[in-house]
Amino acid sequence: MLLPRLNSTQPSGQRPIGACTLIFRHRFIHFLFHNFKTQNQLSRSIYLSTTLSQSVICINLNSKMLVYKSEESSHLQLIERDDIIDEDEDLFEAIDKLTSHGINAGDVKKLQDAGIYTCNGLMMHTKKNLTGIKGLSEAKVDKICEAAEKLVNFGYITGSDALLRRKAVVRITTGSQALDELLGGGIETLQITEAFGEFRSGKTQLAHTLCVTTQLPTNMKGGNGKVAYIDTEGTFRPDRIVPIAERFGMDAGAVLDNIIYARAYTYEHQYNLLLGLAAKMSEEPYRLLIVDSVIALFRVDFTGRGELADRQQKLAQMLSRLTKIAEEFNVAVYMTNQVIADPGGGVFISDPKKPAGGHVLAHAATVRLMFRKGKGEQRVCKVFDAPNLPESEAISLQTYKNHIFQITPGGIADAKD
């Protein structure tokens, strides 16, 4: 079956070649998968032939590979289609499946209205929270939880099983090989990665670069997914995405279409934006959630020591929600953090600073990275805390060299000598 040709609006010889989800608008891809896969007419593979000026998709009923081909260069990239479309099928159980276990469809709708779209996410809520949903009694909540336990396993597993689950982790390149090596391959899904440092240290620049690299195919160290960006400081610049996309040979318009963006103005607004993500992530393949920055609105909305305890409690709830999103949908959470002066840092430290948020934020982040300014556009990254990475001391020039990256017009890249 040959689908209609999609003609490029760019001049011949100027169209960048990228992944399928980047070359074509996501609405067309969603239409293609929905109208064929749900009718069992979509084959196990798609053949994609791309030239510099036009693109054609056709369905191949027998092939088992997804092929990207540039006719002028005769270059082929082979990617298992299972990695493209079916990789998320077993990550979570849709909340709709509860109806097959005796749960009323109206009660399922109430759960969805409360931002719960998967059975995995349901099990991450306390019964106290669930009974707070209008129309759900304690008896109904008990019945719903019993049904969900039959669909998902939240009990003990062996270490071997845990190791197998870790194979679902996707590592997204930062754009810098040195920084990727420091992180063990890149920013990981299923966890929160925090970057803190003073202003102009590269935190937001890394966020913009990840917006692009997340959409690369997995064989190019990308996440092959979409990006959600929550901006609390007003620093997101879509025009910054354009040169970064061009650096990686991708269609900037399609890259921007695969980023959903929201500007948060209060900590309550920020939390509500997180609640609304469940509906989107349960329907489309997201691989990255960016919060830039996580602490800014809390420092504004809560003032003085009298409100400190309340602030930390609200912050803990926000961070708990981020952790659940990461594990529920297998996405990487990258959040930036500010720094505060540390008068007790010691007389031997010329400019003592420490990350804001206190112990609550420190315990929530899986990997903590400290950024600082280097020479010119160079920046230095130090692993401040990580469960599986050695803490970098950065005590010699050789160590510095391994941890230096640079801010370029095309985003984060390796530093030049």
Side-chain angles (χ1 to χ4, degrees):
M1 176 186 297
L2 185 63
L3 295 178
R5 175 174 298 173
L6 300 179
N7 292 323
S8 170
T9 58
Q10 300 185 10
S12 178
Q14 308 238 338
R15 183 179 183 85
I17 300 176
C20 177
T21 54
L22 303 177
I23 296 176
F24 305 104
R25 294 292 184 263
H26 63 275
R27 292 173 183 166
F28 174 78
I29 296 299
H30 183 268
F31 170 82
L32 174 67
F33 290 157
H34 175 75
N35 286 276
F36 285 89
K37 190 173 183 180
T38 56
Q39 301 172 22
N40 293 324
Q41 295 175 358
L42 183 62
S43 69
R44 295 298 299 171
S45 67
I46 299 172
Y47 172 79
L48 172 62
S49 174
T50 305
T51 68
L52 294 179
S53 60
Q54 61 188 22
S55 304
V56 177
I57 295 183
C58 61
I59 303 299
N60 186 338
L61 296 176
N62 298 317
S63 173
K64 294 184 179 180
M65 308 297 290
L66 174 60
V67 183
Y68 298 89
K69 179 179 179 181
S70 172
E71 292 183 351
E72 293 189 6
S73 62
S74 298
H75 178 67
L76 292 177
Q77 292 180 330
L78 300 180
I79 306 173
E80 289 287 349
R81 181 186 173 277
D82 289 348
D83 294 337
I84 301 297
I85 297 174
D86 298 330
E87 60 183 356
D88 292 332
E89 285 187 349
D90 298 325
L91 290 178
F92 56 81
E93 298 290 343
I95 200 74
D96 296 334
K97 293 186 177 181
L98 290 176
T99 56
S100 62
H101 288 73
I103 305 301
N104 186 280
D107 293 335
V108 172
K109 180 65 167 56
K110 293 173 185 176
L111 293 172
Q112 292 175 333
D113 292 340
I116 302 174
Y117 283 80
T118 70
C119 294
N120 307 63
L122 173 67
M123 298 302 294
M124 294 177 183
H125 286 74
T126 64
K127 290 186 178 181
K128 179 182 177 181
N129 289 338
L130 294 175
T131 52
I133 300 174
K134 186 177 180 180
L136 294 184
S137 63
E138 290 187 12
K140 283 187 176 181
V141 168
D142 289 338
K143 184 177 179 181
I144 289 172
C145 291
E146 289 177 5
E149 289 174 355
K150 297 177 182 178
L151 293 171
V152 294
N153 176 24
F154 267 55
Y156 289 105
I157 60 173
T158 66
S160 299
D161 291 335
L163 182 61
L164 288 175
R165 287 188 179 183
R166 288 287 298 171
K167 290 186 177 181
V169 172
V170 178
R171 293 173 177 82
I172 303 168
T173 178
T174 61
S176 166
Q177 183 177 355
L179 193 54
D180 287 346
E181 291 177 356
L182 182 67
L183 298 175
I187 303 293
E188 290 188 0
T189 58
L190 294 175
Q191 71 178 27
I192 296 177
T193 300
E194 173 203 357
F196 67 89
E198 59 182 337
F199 67 96
R200 201 175 163 270
S201 58
K203 306 183 299 294
T204 299
Q205 293 298 321
L206 178 56
H208 282 70
T209 304
L210 288 171
C211 282
V212 177
T213 59
T214 298
Q215 301 181 44
L216 289 170
T218 52
N219 71 323
M220 296 177 65
K221 300 182 180 180
N224 196 54
K226 296 187 175 185
V227 179
Y229 198 116
I230 298 178
D231 183 5
T232 66
E233 298 181 345
T235 54
F236 177 73
R237 294 294 180 269
D239 49 304
R240 184 73 182 95
I241 299 295
V242 175
I244 302 176
E246 292 174 350
R247 168 192 168 189
F248 290 96
M250 290 151 56
D251 186 337
V255 169
L256 287 169
D257 282 345
N258 287 331
I259 301 172
I260 60 171
Y261 167 81
R263 175 74 164 94
Y265 293 95
T266 67
Y267 81 93
E268 293 172 334
H269 185 198
Q270 183 178 344
Y271 187 78
N272 289 335
L273 288 172
L274 291 177
L275 293 178
L277 277 177
K280 298 180 182 297
M281 291 187 173
S282 63
E283 295 176 355
E284 297 182 279
Y286 283 83
R287 273 291 170 266
L288 177 67
L289 168 60
I290 296 173
V291 183
D292 185 21
S293 74
V294 70
I295 196 67
L297 298 178
F298 287 89
R299 299 180 74 177
V300 173
D301 297 339
F302 296 90
T303 57
R305 289 186 175 272
E307 296 183 345
L308 181 60
D310 191 26
R311 187 196 83 166
Q312 292 302 91
Q313 184 182 36
K314 299 296 184 183
L315 178 61
Q317 293 173 356
M318 177 91 62
L319 295 168
S320 175
R321 183 60 189 158
L322 288 174
T323 302
K324 292 172 181 176
I325 288 175
E327 296 185 7
E328 184 178 355
F329 299 105
N330 191 24
V331 301
V333 175
Y334 172 75
M335 64 182 188
T336 65
N337 190 16
Q338 301 172 350
V339 293
I340 57 177
D342 184 13
V347 296
F348 299 105
I349 301 178
S350 59
D351 191 18
K353 292 183 179 67
K354 64 180 181 180
H359 295 290
V360 168
L361 201 151
H363 288 299
T366 313
V367 175
R368 308 191 82 188
L369 305 176
M370 183 177 71
F371 285 9
R372 68 174 179 83
K373 300 172 186 175
K375 180 177 65 175
E377 294 299 321
Q378 293 183 354
R379 302 293 184 268
V380 180
C381 176
K382 174 183 176 181
V383 176
F384 196 76
D385 178 38
N388 61 334
L389 300 173
E391 182 175 342
S392 166
E393 295 295 336
I395 57 176
S396 66
L397 290 177
Q398 181 64 34
T399 306
Y400 280 144
K401 183 176 180 181
N402 289 337
H403 300 170
I404 287 178
F405 60 94
Q406 186 170 346
I407 300 175
T408 70
I412 299 298
D414 288 323
K416 297 180 180 179
D417 296 331

